[in-house]
Amino acid sequence: MSSIPTIKFGVPGDKITVPRIGLGTMTLTGGYGSFDIAESTAILNRAIDIGCTFWDTADSYGFGANEKLLGSVLNQRGENVFVGTKFGLLLKNPGPDFDGDFSKIFQGISGTPEYVREQVESSLESLGVDRIDLYYQHRVDPSVPIEVTVGAMAELVKEGKVRYLGLSECTADELRRAYKVHPIAAVQFEYSPWTTDIERNGVLDACRELGVTVVAYSPLGRGFLAGNIRKNEDLDKTDWRRSNPRFQQESIDNNLKLVEGLDALAKKHGKSKVQMTLAWLLTQEPNMIVIPGTRRVKYLDENSGAGNITLTDEEIRDIRQLVDSIDIKGSRY
Ligand SMILES: NC(=O)c1ccc[n+]([C@@H]2O[C@H](COP(=O)([O-])OP(=O)(O)OC[C@H]3O[C@@H](n4cnc5c(N)ncnc54)[C@H](OP(=O)(O)O)[C@@H]3O)[C@@H](O)[C@H]2O)c1
């Protein structure tokens, strides 16, 4: 049984303890190709069994199906589960002929107060809860000042519909402006050995300054770092990654240098590559939670087990040197 390290999470005056290795549930209802709803349900139940109870979803995942799936399990045994969900990405359900091309389903971003109010009701109902633990703006709406959106989110806290507020993929300036309106508990940002932008764009510094927890999403590089993706055409026809710049063959061929480097280090130190990667990420920032995603119970167990391994200073340094030595090809989006 894994023992997952914990962290104090929240805002001044309202802190709770949550696990530092959570569960990204996005792909349990699609996104990275096919999924098996029985296995997805088993993953959620297993996550509760092993204390992997910091869950991440969004109203847009599975075009609403993801929150409902979580709701079906929370309804049975959700007492100790902490759920974060998000609003703001407008996606059109493409139906069964979807070819994985995100540009065909993306319809914009909304951060208007009306939209915030409408969406929170929908998420509360889908999740089947009275209060959402953590409510994120998924992407900042460039046409609505962040003060206005966060002002509307703050109203939800006052009304008891939401406990904590979060932002996803914001800039450092947006975070600071938002924080002046209402304390922000979490910033969700992509962070892994192949995506370290947060270290240089000011967001990590702003989080440290304000005491905001970083929630590192796609910590395994959307699965690339696990090493099973070597050809673009191996990805399912409905897999979003198939059209992502980092997963085009030229990028894959270059970026595999990082995977091979991690492989060599894992062998040298006698560790699982995936566990070593997650454990390394956790050493980069104490006020951070990682939320790896998976469609398999066995991977959930492996990922949660990363909490059991401790890296030596030499191992941490080795991985940093590797990360710094490789120029990753392909934009994130
Ligand atoms: N805020 C945002 O904009 C945003 C964007 C993206 C993601 N997220 C959140 O972050 C979560 C995680 O991100 P992600 O799913 O994109 O990427 P990830 O966690 O970096 O990687 C997930 C991929 O890694 C594979 N994998 C996981 N554990 C493995 C293991 N032990 N061995 C081998 N392969 C393994 C999974 O394979 P299988 O699927 O085959 O199990 C899946 O393809 C999402 O679920 C979502 O909640 C947020």
Side-chain angles (χ1 to χ4, degrees):
M1 169 74 73
S2 64
S3 109
I4 303 179
T6 58
I7 190 175
K8 284 275 176 220
F9 178 90
V11 294
D14 181 15
K15 297 263 185 192
I16 55 167
T17 300
V18 296
R20 287 193 80 198
I21 302 174
L23 176 65
T25 69
M26 178 175 75
T27 58
L28 298 182
T29 50
Y32 290 176
S34 62
F35 61 93
D36 170 359
I37 203 72
E39 182 83 357
S40 294
T41 308
I43 287 171
L44 295 172
N45 279 299
R46 176 76 181 154
I48 294 176
D49 294 341
I50 63 175
C52 183
T53 49
F54 186 93
W55 292 2
D56 185 71
T57 180
D59 59 3
S60 53
Y61 295 169
F63 310 101
N66 201 270
E67 285 182 337
K68 287 186 183 140
L69 172 68
L70 267 57
S72 70
V73 174
L74 293 170
N75 181 32
Q76 306 290 315
R77 47 191 305 232
E79 319 82 67
N80 298 318
V81 181
F82 181 98
V83 181
T85 191
K86 320 183 194 77
F87 70 89
L89 261 188
L90 312 180
L91 302 183
K92 180 179 75 174
N93 190 340
D97 298 330
F98 183 50
D99 63 1
D101 182 351
F102 189 75
S103 66
K104 292 186 185 151
I105 61 172
F106 178 68
Q107 303 221 294
I109 294 169
S110 180
T112 66
E114 298 72 31
Y115 184 75
V116 172
R117 298 202 72 81
E118 189 184 308
Q119 279 313 111
V120 80
E121 295 305 333
S122 153
S123 289
L124 283 165
E125 191 183 327
S126 297
L127 291 165
V129 296
D130 299 328
R131 182 170 71 158
I132 291 165
D133 297 311
L134 171 59
Y135 202 40
Y136 294 94
Q137 182 178 25
H138 208 156
R139 290 289 182 280
V140 176
D141 181 346
S143 67
V144 180
I146 193 138
E147 289 82 356
V148 173
T149 306
V150 173
M153 293 164 74
E155 287 296 314
L156 305 178
V157 177
K158 249 195 237 155
E159 292 164 18
K161 293 180 175 174
V162 165
R163 183 163 184 181
Y164 301 117
L165 302 185
L167 300 174
S168 167
E169 290 276 335
C170 59
T171 64
D173 178 56
E174 286 160 348
L175 170 60
R176 288 201 177 87
R177 284 167 51 203
Y179 204 99
K180 283 189 188 144
V181 177
H182 190 279
I184 301 296
V187 163
Q188 191 165 132
F189 218 91
E190 184 172 354
Y191 194 12
S192 74
W194 83 344
T195 302
T196 54
D197 310 35
I198 188 174
E199 296 173 355
R200 295 177 298 280
N201 62 17
V203 174
L204 186 56
D205 289 338
C207 286
R208 286 176 178 159
E209 176 192 313
L210 296 165
V212 173
T213 300
V214 175
V215 176
Y217 82 72
S218 302
L220 297 173
R222 301 184 181 274
F224 186 75
L225 302 178
N228 300 326
I229 301 168
R230 298 199 164 242
K231 293 260 170 275
N232 172 273
E233 64 261 28
D234 289 348
L235 297 167
D236 192 274
K237 170 168 136 334
T238 60
D239 189 326
W240 172 84
R241 294 171 295 185
R242 215 177 148 103
S243 59
N244 177 276
R246 285 228 175 142
F247 288 86
Q248 300 314 300
Q249 197 56 47
E250 201 190 331
S251 305
I252 290 180
D253 291 342
N254 175 75
N255 300 340
L256 277 171
K257 282 185 270 181
L258 177 56
V259 178
E260 282 151 15
L262 288 171
D263 258 333
L265 288 177
K267 279 199 191 94
K268 175 177 161 196
H269 298 297
K271 295 195 159 73
S272 132
K273 179 171 50 160
V274 163
Q275 290 188 336
M276 191 185 69
T277 300
L278 293 172
W280 177 78
L281 201 54
L282 287 169
T283 65
Q284 300 305 295
E285 168 54 38
N287 191 7
M288 182 160 76
I289 296 165
V290 296
I291 50 165
T294 178
R295 291 168 290 173
R296 296 158 221 260
V297 171
K298 67 173 182 180
Y299 288 169
L300 164 68
D301 283 344
E302 182 177 10
N303 300 345
S304 306
N308 290 332
I309 70 167
T310 309
L311 301 184
T312 63
D313 290 346
E314 184 202 351
E315 290 166 331
I316 295 169
R317 231 182 8 249
D318 277 355
I319 298 173
R320 173 54 71 177
Q321 267 172 11
L322 173 70
V323 166
D324 290 347
S325 72
I326 292 170
D327 199 9
I328 293 296
K329 260 207 168 63
S331 59
R332 296 195 291 126
Y333 285 98

